[in-house]
Amino acid sequence: MIFEKVKERISDILGVDADEVTMESSFMDDLGADSLDVVELIMALEEEFEIEIPDEEAEKIQTVGDVVEYIKEHTDM
Amino acid sequence: MKKRVVVTGLGVITSLGKDVELFWNSLIEGKSGIDVIERFDTSELGIKIAAEIKDFQPENYFDKKEARRMDRNTQYGLAAALMALKDANIDLEKINKDRLGVILGCGVGGIETFEDQMSVLIEKGPKRVSPFFIPMMIANMAAGQIAMSIGARAINETVVTACASGTNAIGDAYNAILRGEADVIITGGTEASITPLAISGFSSMKALSTNNENPKKASRPFDKNRDGFVMGEGSGILILEELEHALKRNAKIYAEVVGYGTSCDAYHMTAPDPEGSGAALAMKKAIEDAKILPEDVDYINAHGTSTGLNDKLETKAIKAVFKENAYNVAISSTKSMTGHLLGAAGGVEGVVIALAIKNNIIPPTINLEENDEECDLYYVPNKAVEKVVNYAMSNSFGFGGHNAVILMKKYE
C-alpha cells in the first residue's frame, strides 16, 4: 500500500516507469535522480503521508526501501 | 582581415506560429496573434488579453522530466534554439563545442515559477518551497539549459536590459564572434511573463492596452487611438556564425550582421527621454558601426510598442537620425501582430529583419487606421510590401533607458 503510493510519486517526479521502481532501487544510481530531485520527492512524500522527515534522516535515504520503511515506522498505515 | 558574422539559422516559438515558415507567413498576411487570456482566471484583472501561446507541447521538444524542471521561458528558449540549430544544419557531432556559445536576452525570467512558489510559501510554509524554485526562476537558466542539452561549452551569458535584452544579446554575440571568442553563437531572447502578477504590474503602470473587447485591434503602433502595449510571450533565436566557418560547411546564409549600437537615456526609470535622443544615439552608432549612411537603410523594424510615448518619441528619434530621408525609409512594428515579447522581442524581431532581407518582403504594421500627426512617417500600414531590402535594422528600447539597435545586410 505504502509502496504503491510511493512508487506513483516517484514515477511522477522522476519521470520513470512505475514498473521500474522496486524496493531495492537506488534513487541516484538506478532512477536517475539528482540531489534536488530527492529533496523534491521527500517533500512530496511528507505532504502525502503527513509526516516530517528531519534533514538528518533524509540524508540517510538512498533507496526506495529506505523511504518506505521510514514511512511505515512513522505512520499508522 | 576583420572577421564577418552571418545568420545561418532561425527558430521561433510565438503566438503566430511555432515554426519559422508559419510565423513569417502570418506576419506578411497581417494576422494578429493576440486573443483573450486562457491560461488563468482574469476576472479580477483589468487586462484580459495577451498574445498567448496556446498549444505548446514541451514533450515535442524534450522529455517530460526535463520539462518539469524548466520554467516556461526556458522551455520556449530551448525549443526555439533546437529549431534554429536544425535550421542551420549544424552537425553537433562534428562542430567544435568549445567554440559554440549561447548569449540570450531575458527581461523577467521565471516569474511563473516565482508566483507558484510564493503561493506555496504563503499557503504551506517555507518547508514546502521547491528545491527547483531558484534554478527554475533565475533569468539565465534558459542559456544554461540550452548549453547543457547540446554541450555548448564556449561563452554563455544572459543579458537583462528589459525590452532591449534580445537585441543586446544579438549585438553581444556579434561582438563575441568578431573578437574570436566563438565560431557559432546561439542568440536571441526568450520570455514568458503572461502571469497574473506581471500583467497586474504592467497594468498599474498604465502601460497595457485595455482594449479587452477587441483583442486583435488592441496593439496598434503609431495609430492615433493606440492605448498601450499587449503582452506577448515566446522566443526568437538566431544562429550567428563566423563567415569562414559557415562557408566551410556550406551553410545557407540569411543575412550578415554588420552593425550594433547601444546607449542609455540616463533619464527616467520607465519614461523615454522626451527628445528621443538616447534612441537616436543607438541608431546612429549602429549605422556608423556598419560604415553606411542612414539613407542606405531600407527597413526599420521599430520598437513600436503601441504606447503613446514610445511611438511618438521613436518617430522623433528616427527623424533626428535620418533627417529628410526619414520619410522614405520603410518602418514597421511587428508588435502589432506578435504583441510585445519584452526580453524576447529583440530576438523575434532579429528573426524578422533577417527574413525581410532574405525574402525582400517587409511585414506591415497592422491596425494603423487613423494618422497621428506626431507619427507621420511611412509605417507600411496594414499590408506587406515587396521591396529589395539590402539593409535592415531592428530597434529595441527597455525600461531603465536601455537602447539597442542591430543592423543586418544582404549577404554577398
Side-chain angles (χ1 to χ4, degrees), chain B residues 56 83 91 113 128 224 247 370:
Chain B
F56 178 76
M83 195 184 300
D91 184 344
T113 300
R128 291 286 172 268
K224 196 174 179 71
L247 291 176
E370 196 175 332

Side-chain angles (χ1 to χ4, degrees), chain B residues 142-381:
Chain B
Q145 287 279 13
I146 292 169
M148 250 178 282
S149 78
I150 58 169
R153 305 205 314 158
I155 184 168
N156 192 295
E157 295 176 349
T158 299
V159 184
V160 182
T161 51
C163 306
S165 304
T167 300
N168 276 134
I170 299 169
D172 289 351
Y174 161 63
N175 280 331
I177 294 173
L178 285 184
R179 65 175 182 262
E181 204 161 320
D183 299 322
V184 178
I185 298 185
I186 299 160
T187 187
T190 188
E191 202 80 87
S193 48
I194 302 177
T195 67
L197 184 62
I199 293 271
S200 301
F202 281 106
S203 172
S204 296
M205 294 173 73
K206 310 291 174 204
L208 296 174
S209 168
T210 56
N211 195 352
N212 293 320
E213 289 71 38
N214 269 312
K216 305 234 176 287
K217 293 275 179 191
S219 183
R220 38 196 322 117
F222 306 107
D223 182 85
K224 196 174 179 71
N225 300 312
R226 66 189 184 275
D227 74 331
F229 79 83
V230 177
M231 183 99 75
E233 63 173 348
S235 177
I237 299 287
L238 301 90
I239 306 296
L240 296 199
E241 187 165 357
E242 193 271 319
L243 177 63
E244 293 304 317
H245 190 273
L247 291 176
K248 249 181 239 162
R249 59 176 198 90
N250 279 320
K252 76 173 162 212
I253 294 175
Y254 288 94
E256 179 174 0
V257 183
V258 290
Y260 174 46
T262 56
S263 71
C264 185
D265 283 2
Y267 172 73
H268 182 267
M269 284 168 76
T270 57
D273 171 340
E275 293 309 313
S277 67
L281 180 60
M283 282 187 255
K284 204 166 150 264
K285 281 178 159 181
I287 290 167
E288 281 170 7
D289 187 35
K291 298 187 176 59
I292 60 170
L293 297 168
E295 54 263 41
D296 296 324
V297 176
D298 302 293
Y299 171 47
I300 302 173
N301 185 290
H303 189 52
T305 55
S306 181
T307 62
L309 274 181
N310 176 81
D311 299 359
K312 181 173 84 175
L313 297 174
E314 187 171 11
T315 297
K316 221 176 195 180
I318 292 170
K319 286 179 184 173
V321 175
F322 286 74
K323 307 281 185 318
E324 62 277 16
N325 287 300
Y327 291 87
N328 303 327
V329 62
I331 302 162
S332 75
S333 170
T334 40
K335 288 189 182 76
S336 57
M337 299 173 272
T338 61
H340 187 357
L341 284 80
L342 310 183
V348 167
E349 289 154 22
V351 169
V352 172
I353 63 168
L355 289 169
I357 288 170
K358 178 88 177 160
N359 299 332
N360 294 312
I361 300 175
I362 296 176
T365 304
I366 66 165
N367 299 322
L368 188 38
E369 290 160 352
E370 196 175 332
N371 289 336
D372 176 344
E373 51 280 9
E374 290 183 290
C375 301
D376 59 347
L377 299 177
Y378 172 49
Y379 305 107
V380 193

Side-chain angles (χ1 to χ4, degrees), chain A residues 1 4 8 10-11 29 34-35 47 51 55-56 66 68:
Chain A
M1 175 67 186
E4 289 306 313
E8 208 176 294
I10 291 173
S11 163
D29 298 337
D34 62 21
S35 61
E47 203 170 335
I51 51 168
D55 285 353
E56 57 274 20
D66 293 343
V68 170

Side-chain angles (χ1 to χ4, degrees), chain A residues 3 21-27 30-31 62-66:
Chain A
F3 176 60
V21 182
T22 67
M23 285 290 274
E24 288 73 41
S25 308
S26 153
F27 290 112
D30 302 321
L31 302 174
Q62 308 269 337
T63 66
V64 176
D66 293 343

